[in-house]
Amino acid sequence: MKIALIVLILLLFSFKSSCQDTLSSQEMLQVFKQINKSDASKLRHPEKREEIFLTNFKEIKELIEYQGLVIDSNFSKKRHIKLAESAIRMTFTHILQSNPSLILNEKFIELIREKLQTKKFCKDYLIFPLSVYVYENEIKSPFEGVLKDAMRIWGINESELIHKDL
């Protein structure tokens, strides 16, 4: 009986360990530090810089998929929160500048919708990048197509986008 109980406890412990796909706050902080650091590197090599942005986007997307990104609950220090938010916004801005279809596509739009509904993502991370996208592409209101659909699905109003200070 004792052996069966010990085996059961060990199985439960190993199952719990194998199911943990989330990163700790410290591991997430390292990801965001690396993203912020990588943005300033390789300025003279645009193709290398683009590759870095894509890698950063993939890392953030994986975090969103597997655990969501609610920065306020992951970090207690304001500087860590600002570092993480900066990395997310900066990466989304770069991707919308270089390859907007990575964000403005049905699959990613649905992923963000799902995470917003479960409160595992904050729409504020998208407002500045979308503002830059609209400004740089001189997109006039009312918005149309996939941009309009994404903003509707994510609950972002056109009035929330920053228009003047870009």
Side-chain angles (χ1 to χ4, degrees), residues 31 33-60 87 90-92 94-95 98 102:
V31 168
K33 280 182 179 178
Q34 184 58 38
I35 287 171
N36 281 313
K37 182 179 174 185
S38 70
D39 183 55
S41 64
K42 312 288 189 252
L43 291 176
R44 296 180 191 195
H45 303 289
E47 64 284 343
K48 187 67 174 167
R49 204 164 177 240
E50 178 66 24
E51 186 179 307
I52 290 168
F53 297 152
L54 289 172
T55 300
N56 293 346
F57 179 72
K58 287 176 187 173
E59 287 185 36
I60 289 173
M90 179 175 41
T91 299
F92 285 175
H94 290 310
I95 292 302
S98 62
L102 290 176

Side-chain angles (χ1 to χ4, degrees), residues 38-87:
S38 70
D39 183 55
S41 64
K42 312 288 189 252
L43 291 176
R44 296 180 191 195
H45 303 289
E47 64 284 343
K48 187 67 174 167
R49 204 164 177 240
E50 178 66 24
E51 186 179 307
I52 290 168
F53 297 152
L54 289 172
T55 300
N56 293 346
F57 179 72
K58 287 176 187 173
E59 287 185 36
I60 289 173
K61 184 179 175 194
E62 285 179 15
L63 286 172
I64 294 168
E65 288 173 333
Y66 295 111
Q67 68 190 60
L69 284 177
V70 186
I71 301 306
D72 291 346
S73 66
N74 288 6
F75 302 112
S76 57
K77 295 182 180 177
K78 280 192 175 191
R79 65 186 165 98
H80 293 166
I81 292 170
K82 287 184 183 276
L83 180 92
E85 289 175 344
S86 171

Side-chain angles (χ1 to χ4, degrees), residues 154-166:
W154 296 336
I156 298 173
N157 296 317
E158 287 185 37
S159 62
E160 291 179 271
L161 298 187
I162 304 163
H163 295 284
K164 297 176 184 174
D165 298 328
L166 291 175

